[in-house]
Amino acid sequence: MEDAQIAQVAEDFEMFFRSEYRAVLGLAISLSRNRSVAEEIVQDAFLIIFRDWARVSMMHNPSAWVRRVVVNRSISILRRRATEAKVLPRMRSASGHHEDPSVEDAMDVWRQVRRLPRRQAQVIALTYVLDLPRAQVAQVLECSEETVKTHLERARRTLARRLTR
Amino acid sequence: MDIDLRLRRAAEQLNESLAREPMPETPMLGRDWRPSLVGAVAVVLVFVSALFLLARVSGIQPTDDLEMSDLRPVSLGDTHVWPVAGRPGQPSEVAIAFANEVLGWESPSSWTESQADLSGPVWVRVSQAGGGSVPLDVLTEQASNGGRVLVEVRVAWGTPTSVRSLAPDESGSMIVLVGVGGAETADVTIRLTSGQQMVLSADRSDIASGRLALPEISDPTDVRTVLIRWLDDENQVIAATSN
């Protein structure tokens, strides 16, 4: 491969990374228990994509692909003890407002989302964090829109019950 | 407060806090990346090596799903299912220990063919009275340490699990899910050739589709061992299958 071609590949990948990074990090944070793990998931996901970029970049929707990798890994992440030990949700420390009720409430919401069955949690994260319409959620999760609707309804019911206790 | 509104606010809070953060460098390329193939390959190799080194040093703990079910995490063997090191005892004893410790069955019973040659592979049927559980056939074998291990688990008269490539136009692998009657969800533990373990859960839609996609595992041969624990609607293990 010529240098110019490689530079073009790098540029394409860089653009993809920049356009997707925050979205998938938000997804990973909402679905995994701490920020460090979420960053690790996102790093892993982009590494996988980088290795297979020639193929992924030709896909109809590479964004859906990276999101699928991240939602899968977020729920069933390869956990490392070392990472677990330094659990300190930076979502708190970065904002510096431990007492901020909106931060506390958001953390409480995501804690409850993570207790949902896997698919329900994924549907909630894709719907709310990425603000995806039902059709796109279905595309990421490789299921029907009807399934997404069912998961969403069940998840909302469960969350409403748990969060009002 | 309405749950929809609360979720929207939680998402806004999360997205706003992320928007305030500086964008990191593209991790695979870095600031000093130069457009040369050798450089790119080297960067990837170093990054991958570091990941695997970290994984080996610190060990992988499949703990994330613990919040979602009461299932105990299980460590799988490289060339067999369970336990990691051979356990002393008769085939039936190891099979019962598996049912107790891995499946959470309180009073399982076992049946071993009377003419079995204990120096070779021995099938044991394990079942649990009551409940909706399904009888299992487990194949035990002598391990190098003189103990016994399970090399295969399947629903009695059923077939084992397999791992395959996804369709040619998709990237990744998949686990074929041969459904078990009464199973609502499944807990899937996977051991990779790297020694890493991951835990996935399959829900009804996965089970209905007959597969669990693993887009992050490009080569199905990277998967060494798979153990699927099938759960009913009360999160009780009713069956298990391995590859």
PDB file of all heavy atoms in Angstrom, chain A residues 94-110:
ATOM      1  N   ALA A  94     -15.365  14.423  37.887  1.00  0.00           N
ATOM      2  CA  ALA A  94     -15.141  15.428  36.850  1.00  0.00           C
ATOM      3  C   ALA A  94     -16.038  16.640  37.082  1.00  0.00           C
ATOM      4  O   ALA A  94     -15.631  17.775  36.928  1.00  0.00           O
ATOM      5  CB  ALA A  94     -15.412  14.836  35.485  1.00  0.00           C
ATOM      6  N   SER A  95     -17.251  16.382  37.484  1.00  0.00           N
ATOM      7  CA  SER A  95     -18.163  17.503  37.682  1.00  0.00           C
ATOM      8  C   SER A  95     -17.896  18.186  39.017  1.00  0.00           C
ATOM      9  O   SER A  95     -18.166  19.371  39.174  1.00  0.00           O
ATOM     10  CB  SER A  95     -19.614  17.019  37.658  1.00  0.00           C
ATOM     11  OG  SER A  95     -19.836  16.177  38.754  1.00  0.00           O
ATOM     12  N   GLY A  96     -17.334  17.440  39.944  1.00  0.00           N
ATOM     13  CA  GLY A  96     -17.003  18.024  41.238  1.00  0.00           C
ATOM     14  C   GLY A  96     -18.214  18.321  42.089  1.00  0.00           C
ATOM     15  O   GLY A  96     -18.116  19.051  43.061  1.00  0.00           O
ATOM     16  N   HIS A  97     -19.353  17.819  41.703  1.00  0.00           N
ATOM     17  CA  HIS A  97     -20.566  18.119  42.476  1.00  0.00           C
ATOM     18  C   HIS A  97     -21.139  16.837  43.048  1.00  0.00           C
ATOM     19  O   HIS A  97     -22.125  16.316  42.560  1.00  0.00           O
ATOM     20  CB  HIS A  97     -21.610  18.775  41.578  1.00  0.00           C
ATOM     21  CG  HIS A  97     -21.186  20.087  41.041  1.00  0.00           C
ATOM     22  ND1 HIS A  97     -20.929  21.174  41.826  1.00  0.00           N
ATOM     23  CD2 HIS A  97     -20.936  20.479  39.771  1.00  0.00           C
ATOM     24  CE1 HIS A  97     -20.555  22.197  41.064  1.00  0.00           C
ATOM     25  NE2 HIS A  97     -20.541  21.794  39.813  1.00  0.00           N
ATOM     26  N   HIS A  98     -20.519  16.365  44.096  1.00  0.00           N
ATOM     27  CA  HIS A  98     -21.029  15.148  44.708  1.00  0.00           C
ATOM     28  C   HIS A  98     -22.461  15.308  45.168  1.00  0.00           C
ATOM     29  O   HIS A  98     -23.229  14.391  45.143  1.00  0.00           O
ATOM     30  CB  HIS A  98     -20.169  14.767  45.915  1.00  0.00           C
ATOM     31  CG  HIS A  98     -18.859  14.209  45.525  1.00  0.00           C
ATOM     32  ND1 HIS A  98     -18.536  12.892  45.722  1.00  0.00           N
ATOM     33  CD2 HIS A  98     -17.810  14.772  44.898  1.00  0.00           C
ATOM     34  CE1 HIS A  98     -17.316  12.671  45.261  1.00  0.00           C
ATOM     35  NE2 HIS A  98     -16.856  13.795  44.762  1.00  0.00           N
ATOM     36  N   GLU A  99     -22.770  16.518  45.587  1.00  0.00           N
ATOM     37  CA  GLU A  99     -24.108  16.725  46.159  1.00  0.00           C
ATOM     38  C   GLU A  99     -25.114  17.167  45.097  1.00  0.00           C
ATOM     39  O   GLU A  99     -26.270  17.370  45.401  1.00  0.00           O
ATOM     40  CB  GLU A  99     -24.068  17.791  47.265  1.00  0.00           C
ATOM     41  CG  GLU A  99     -23.131  17.471  48.429  1.00  0.00           C
ATOM     42  CD  GLU A  99     -21.686  17.832  48.110  1.00  0.00           C
ATOM     43  OE1 GLU A  99     -21.471  18.605  47.160  1.00  0.00           O
ATOM     44  OE2 GLU A  99     -20.781  17.321  48.776  1.00  0.00           O
ATOM     45  N   ASP A 100     -24.640  17.373  43.885  1.00  0.00           N
ATOM     46  CA  ASP A 100     -25.539  17.816  42.828  1.00  0.00           C
ATOM     47  C   ASP A 100     -26.630  16.761  42.636  1.00  0.00           C
ATOM     48  O   ASP A 100     -26.358  15.641  42.225  1.00  0.00           O
ATOM     49  CB  ASP A 100     -24.740  18.001  41.531  1.00  0.00           C
ATOM     50  CG  ASP A 100     -25.615  18.537  40.407  1.00  0.00           C
ATOM     51  OD1 ASP A 100     -26.846  18.377  40.518  1.00  0.00           O
ATOM     52  OD2 ASP A 100     -25.065  19.093  39.454  1.00  0.00           O
ATOM     53  N   PRO A 101     -27.877  17.127  42.934  1.00  0.00           N
ATOM     54  CA  PRO A 101     -28.933  16.110  42.855  1.00  0.00           C
ATOM     55  C   PRO A 101     -29.133  15.571  41.441  1.00  0.00           C
ATOM     56  O   PRO A 101     -29.517  14.421  41.268  1.00  0.00           O
ATOM     57  CB  PRO A 101     -30.183  16.847  43.352  1.00  0.00           C
ATOM     58  CG  PRO A 101     -29.840  18.291  43.364  1.00  0.00           C
ATOM     59  CD  PRO A 101     -28.359  18.424  43.407  1.00  0.00           C
ATOM     60  N   SER A 102     -28.855  16.404  40.422  1.00  0.00           N
ATOM     61  CA  SER A 102     -29.077  15.900  39.060  1.00  0.00           C
ATOM     62  C   SER A 102     -28.047  14.822  38.715  1.00  0.00           C
ATOM     63  O   SER A 102     -28.350  13.847  38.030  1.00  0.00           O
ATOM     64  CB  SER A 102     -29.023  17.038  38.041  1.00  0.00           C
ATOM     65  OG  SER A 102     -27.713  17.523  37.911  1.00  0.00           O
ATOM     66  N   VAL A 103     -26.806  14.988  39.215  1.00  0.00           N
ATOM     67  CA  VAL A 103     -25.776  13.970  38.972  1.00  0.00           C
ATOM     68  C   VAL A 103     -26.126  12.705  39.736  1.00  0.00           C
ATOM     69  O   VAL A 103     -26.072  11.594  39.203  1.00  0.00           O
ATOM     70  CB  VAL A 103     -24.376  14.493  39.402  1.00  0.00           C
ATOM     71  CG1 VAL A 103     -23.339  13.383  39.293  1.00  0.00           C
ATOM     72  CG2 VAL A 103     -23.976  15.684  38.556  1.00  0.00           C
ATOM     73  N   GLU A 104     -26.512  12.905  40.983  1.00  0.00           N
ATOM     74  CA  GLU A 104     -26.878  11.746  41.806  1.00  0.00           C
ATOM     75  C   GLU A 104     -28.048  10.995  41.179  1.00  0.00           C
ATOM     76  O   GLU A 104     -28.068   9.780  41.124  1.00  0.00           O
ATOM     77  CB  GLU A 104     -27.255  12.203  43.230  1.00  0.00           C
ATOM     78  CG  GLU A 104     -26.069  12.663  44.060  1.00  0.00           C
ATOM     79  CD  GLU A 104     -25.030  11.562  44.249  1.00  0.00           C
ATOM     80  OE1 GLU A 104     -25.406  10.383  44.328  1.00  0.00           O
ATOM     81  OE2 GLU A 104     -23.833  11.900  44.287  1.00  0.00           O
ATOM     82  N   ASP A 105     -29.021  11.771  40.716  1.00  0.00           N
ATOM     83  CA  ASP A 105     -30.205  11.144  40.131  1.00  0.00           C
ATOM     84  C   ASP A 105     -29.831  10.389  38.853  1.00  0.00           C
ATOM     85  O   ASP A 105     -30.282   9.263  38.633  1.00  0.00           O
ATOM     86  CB  ASP A 105     -31.262  12.212  39.816  1.00  0.00           C
ATOM     87  CG  ASP A 105     -32.563  11.570  39.377  1.00  0.00           C
ATOM     88  OD1 ASP A 105     -33.177  10.865  40.201  1.00  0.00           O
ATOM     89  OD2 ASP A 105     -32.946  11.723  38.198  1.00  0.00           O
ATOM     90  N   ALA A 106     -28.958  11.016  38.040  1.00  0.00           N
ATOM     91  CA  ALA A 106     -28.539  10.354  36.797  1.00  0.00           C
ATOM     92  C   ALA A 106     -27.806   9.055  37.110  1.00  0.00           C
ATOM     93  O   ALA A 106     -28.038   8.034  36.471  1.00  0.00           O
ATOM     94  CB  ALA A 106     -27.639  11.283  35.991  1.00  0.00           C
ATOM     95  N   MET A 107     -26.954   9.112  38.125  1.00  0.00           N
ATOM     96  CA  MET A 107     -26.207   7.894  38.469  1.00  0.00           C
ATOM     97  C   MET A 107     -27.143   6.804  38.965  1.00  0.00           C
ATOM     98  O   MET A 107     -26.965   5.623  38.670  1.00  0.00           O
ATOM     99  CB  MET A 107     -25.148   8.223  39.526  1.00  0.00           C
ATOM    100  CG  MET A 107     -24.052   9.110  38.951  1.00  0.00           C
ATOM    101  SD  MET A 107     -22.768   9.454  40.129  1.00  0.00           S
ATOM    102  CE  MET A 107     -21.978   7.871  40.213  1.00  0.00           C
ATOM    103  N   ASP A 108     -28.138   7.227  39.711  1.00  0.00           N
ATOM    104  CA  ASP A 108     -29.124   6.281  40.216  1.00  0.00           C
ATOM    105  C   ASP A 108     -29.888   5.637  39.047  1.00  0.00           C
ATOM    106  O   ASP A 108     -30.112   4.423  39.009  1.00  0.00           O
ATOM    107  CB  ASP A 108     -30.092   7.036  41.138  1.00  0.00           C
ATOM    108  CG  ASP A 108     -30.823   6.097  42.049  1.00  0.00           C
ATOM    109  OD1 ASP A 108     -30.278   5.006  42.323  1.00  0.00           O
ATOM    110  OD2 ASP A 108     -31.946   6.442  42.480  1.00  0.00           O
ATOM    111  N   VAL A 109     -30.239   6.472  38.087  1.00  0.00           N
ATOM    112  CA  VAL A 109     -30.963   5.966  36.909  1.00  0.00           C
ATOM    113  C   VAL A 109     -30.111   4.933  36.176  1.00  0.00           C
ATOM    114  O   VAL A 109     -30.564   3.835  35.869  1.00  0.00           O
ATOM    115  CB  VAL A 109     -31.334   7.133  35.960  1.00  0.00           C
ATOM    116  CG1 VAL A 109     -31.797   6.591  34.601  1.00  0.00           C
ATOM    117  CG2 VAL A 109     -32.424   7.994  36.574  1.00  0.00           C
ATOM    118  N   TRP A 110     -28.821   5.256  35.947  1.00  0.00           N
ATOM    119  CA  TRP A 110     -27.987   4.317  35.175  1.00  0.00           C
ATOM    120  C   TRP A 110     -27.703   3.048  35.964  1.00  0.00           C
ATOM    121  O   TRP A 110     -27.559   1.971  35.396  1.00  0.00           O
ATOM    122  CB  TRP A 110     -26.691   4.984  34.709  1.00  0.00           C
ATOM    123  CG  TRP A 110     -26.955   6.118  33.770  1.00  0.00           C
ATOM    124  CD1 TRP A 110     -26.536   7.416  33.899  1.00  0.00           C
ATOM    125  CD2 TRP A 110     -27.756   6.089  32.575  1.00  0.00           C
ATOM    126  NE1 TRP A 110     -27.021   8.176  32.867  1.00  0.00           N
ATOM    127  CE2 TRP A 110     -27.773   7.398  32.044  1.00  0.00           C
ATOM    128  CE3 TRP A 110     -28.473   5.097  31.917  1.00  0.00           C
ATOM    129  CZ2 TRP A 110     -28.466   7.732  30.876  1.00  0.00           C
ATOM    130  CZ3 TRP A 110     -29.174   5.420  30.767  1.00  0.00           C
ATOM    131  CH2 TRP A 110     -29.165   6.713  30.259  1.00  0.00           C
TER     132      TRP A 110
END
